[in-house]
């Protein structure tokens, strides 16, 4: 793997890290992801209209994996953040997806790992988390109240495939939750538009 460039070994401590040869593989995977391709222009429009960072994520190995992101207009517009992940139970993207999964799937995910606290706002009770998912379904969007990173909030809505199964979520993030919630209608509408393209 080192010879092929997929791993790099540090000459001082001997540790291995990912090599640059993985980048073409990652790029090829992302370039073939239909949801990401359809979402990119909508991510940019959402960032422009909300003046907030817009993110696209999927559920992967019980975590939210970011597959795209567009910075808020005050920063350079870049399609970034792919490959990073966050715990599903304390991110709005994760909660938006989990709220619409079959109950058995959610129970299986929750039994896999405890609801680890990352901030004082993290929901760690399974009963409280079940209530949170019920409320998310009722309002149509999920909220992260600084549950993963202090002072970082997010509002997200689910993206559905042709079988009405949640396959991802789109959201906006920032420091002030109230200013993000004002855009919940636009976030939900954007998620619906992307879902329509996946039919």
């Amino acid at each position: 793997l080192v010879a092929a460039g997929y791993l790099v070994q540090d000459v001082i401590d001997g540790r291995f890290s990912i090599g640059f040869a993985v980048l073409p593989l990652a790029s090829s995977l992302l370039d073939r992801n239909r949801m990401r391709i359809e979402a990119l222009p909508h991510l940019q429009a959402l960032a422009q209209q909300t003046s907030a960072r817009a993110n696209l994520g999927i559920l992967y190995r019980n975590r939210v994996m970011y597959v795209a992101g567009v910075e808020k207009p005050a920063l350079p517009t870049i399609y970034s953040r792919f490959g990073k992940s966050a715990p599903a139970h304390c991110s709005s993207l994760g909660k938006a997806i989990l709220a619409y999964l079959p109950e058995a799937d959610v129970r299986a995910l929750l039994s896999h790992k405890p609801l680890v606290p990352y901030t004082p706002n993290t929901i760690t009770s399974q009963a409280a988390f079940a209530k949170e998912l019920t409320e998310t379904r009722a309002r149509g969007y999920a909220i992260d109240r600084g549950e993963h990173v202090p002072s970082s909030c997010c509002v997200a809505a689910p993206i559905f495939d042709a079988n009405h199964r949640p396959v991802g979520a789109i959201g906006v993030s920032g420091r002030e939750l109230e200013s993000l919630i004002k855009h919940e209608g636009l976030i939900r509408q954007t998620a619906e538009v992307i879902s329509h393209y996946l039919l």
Side-chain angles (χ1 to χ4, degrees):
L1 292 175
V2 171
Y6 294 105
L7 291 177
V8 177
Q9 188 170 22
D10 190 294
V11 294
I12 297 173
D13 62 18
R15 291 185 179 182
F16 291 95
S17 59
I18 301 297
F20 284 108
V22 301
L23 288 179
L25 295 174
S27 177
S28 175
L29 174 64
L30 292 173
D31 288 346
R32 290 193 323 268
N33 184 286
R34 187 170 167 223
M35 180 174 60
R36 183 177 188 272
I37 292 166
E38 298 293 356
L40 283 176
H42 302 289
L43 272 175
Q44 182 160 2
L46 189 60
Q48 289 287 334
Q49 292 173 281
T50 62
S51 296
R53 180 182 176 84
N55 301 301
L56 174 70
I58 61 171
L59 196 61
Y60 179 72
R61 293 186 174 178
N62 298 333
R63 291 175 64 87
V64 167
M65 179 173 287
Y66 294 91
V67 292
V70 176
E71 293 294 351
K72 59 185 178 180
L75 297 173
T77 300
I78 52 173
Y79 300 121
S80 64
R81 204 160 178 89
F82 50 84
K84 293 185 179 180
S85 69
H89 73 282
C90 55
S91 67
S92 66
L93 294 173
K95 289 192 276 187
I97 298 168
L98 293 175
Y100 292 90
L101 282 178
E103 193 175 327
D105 291 1
V106 176
R107 277 199 308 269
L109 186 144
L110 295 181
S111 65
H112 182 70
K113 269 185 155 182
L115 300 176
V116 176
Y118 288 84
T119 75
N121 294 336
T122 306
I123 298 172
T124 56
S125 155
Q126 291 204 10
F129 190 71
K131 182 173 181 282
E132 175 80 358
L133 295 185
T134 298
E135 292 172 355
T136 296
R137 281 191 301 276
R139 65 178 171 252
Y141 63 92
I143 300 172
D144 168 7
R145 304 168 183 85
E147 297 163 47
H148 182 223
V149 177
S151 303
S152 177
C153 302
C154 185
V155 174
I159 297 169
F160 298 98
D161 66 11
N163 298 314
H164 202 70
R165 185 171 175 87
V167 291
I170 191 169
V172 293
S173 59
R175 295 194 175 278
E176 295 181 7
L177 181 59
E178 286 185 14
S179 65
L180 298 176
I181 290 179
K182 288 178 184 175
H183 300 292
E184 57 90 5
L186 178 61
I187 297 165
R188 292 169 65 189
Q189 181 183 25
T190 303
E192 288 173 11
V193 169
I194 298 168
S195 298
H196 176 76
Y197 282 111
L198 299 181
L199 296 179

